[in-house]
């Protein structure tokens, strides 16, 4: 294989693939021809998505994955590799968000959220990137959020987590220069997903009101998860020699009445 060629078969793993952006990304990658391993704590949901991919003619497997557990990540990586072969693409999408005022949130909870949103992403990096560096090719995509550049209040550690995630990703990009491995950030704006659907109704209304108060809800349109999934598929499908290092995906405002 030439220095800047891609193999015809590029197995991919998607963390946080049980719903929302992760499930949509697994489907988009499978549709584009990538064999996909879906990972999340809700393995039943991952298996349902994998079954839909297989029914449509794609190749997909599902395994348990808890990004807060070193052993779980290592076991997932071993199973995904055994099923599909050397992993060429990693999508770090798992995350959680819950309402909370920073000075009132319990420190243990704050730390658990950061462990998932930042340290969990690093566990994926440790599991897969060394092999990519050895093979001199591969893609790692970190799903961030627009809160990384425009912090939103009353979301506990979420802004801190995404700022930290992007800091790690930017440093990783520099460290990987010349290795053939591309680290990329996809930064969604407001997107419909299951994140936030378990919030107390009154708490959710309060948080949304505060976003309006600080000018962070300029219009009511939200993206569908498939928009982010398509962006991720575009990033990892770029030809060798092309690095789509940061993609922002935002909902277009509704057309104004004339």
């Amino acid at each position: 294989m030439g220095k800047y060629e891609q193999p015809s078969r590029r197995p991919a793993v998607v963390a946080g693939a049980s719903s929302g952006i992760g499930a949509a990304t697994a489907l988009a990658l499978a549709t584009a021809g990538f064999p996909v391993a879906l990972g999340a704590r809700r393995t039943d949901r991952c298996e349902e998505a994998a079954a839909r991919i297989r029914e449509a003619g794609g190749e997909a497997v599902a395994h348990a994955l808890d990004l807060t557990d070193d052993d779980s990540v290592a076991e997932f990586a071993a199973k995904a590799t055994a099923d599909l072969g050397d992993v060429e693409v990693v999508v770090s999408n798992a995350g959680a968000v819950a309402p909370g005022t920073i000075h009132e949130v319990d420190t243990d909870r704050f730390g658990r959220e950061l462990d998932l949103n930042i340290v969990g992403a690093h566990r994926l990096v440790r599991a897969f990137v060394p092999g990519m560096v050895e093979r001199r090719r591969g893609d790692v995509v970190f799903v961030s959020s627009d809160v990384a550049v425009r912090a939103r209040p009353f979301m506990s550690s979420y802004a801190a987590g995404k700022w930290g995630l992007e800091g790690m990703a930017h440093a990783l990009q520099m460290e990987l220069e010349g290795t053939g491995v591309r680290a990329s950030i996809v930064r969604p704006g407001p997107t419909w997903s299951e994140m936030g659907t378990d919030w107390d109704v009154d708490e959710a209304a309060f948080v949304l009101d505060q976003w309006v108060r600080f000018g962070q809800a300029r219009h009511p349109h939200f993206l569908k998860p498939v928009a982010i999934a398509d962006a991720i598929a575009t990033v990892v499908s770029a030809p060798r020699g092309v690095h789509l290092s940061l993609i922002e995906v935002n909902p277009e405002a509704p057309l104004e009445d004339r």
Side-chain angles (χ1 to χ4, degrees), residues 34-56:
F34 293 81
V36 182
L38 294 82
R41 286 175 292 189
R42 295 183 296 179
T43 52
D44 56 334
R45 299 284 295 273
C46 286
E47 184 51 53
E48 289 171 8
R52 290 196 297 272
I53 289 170
R54 292 191 294 265
E55 289 167 5

Side-chain angles (χ1 to χ4, degrees), residues 79-116:
K79 289 181 176 179
T81 301
D83 287 340
L84 302 178
D86 289 336
V87 171
E88 297 276 330
V89 173
V90 173
V91 179
S92 177
N93 168 71
V97 59
T101 304
I102 291 171
H103 71 273
E104 296 175 352
V105 169
D106 182 82
T107 300
D108 286 342
R109 173 190 151 187
F110 199 88
R112 287 194 303 272
E113 292 171 353
L114 292 179
D115 184 37
L116 173 60

Side-chain angles (χ1 to χ4, degrees), residues 126-141:
R126 277 292 295 137
F128 291 104
V129 171
M132 293 179 173
V133 170
E134 185 176 342
R135 294 187 295 275
R136 298 172 64 83
R137 65 178 185 271
D139 281 286
V140 184
V141 179

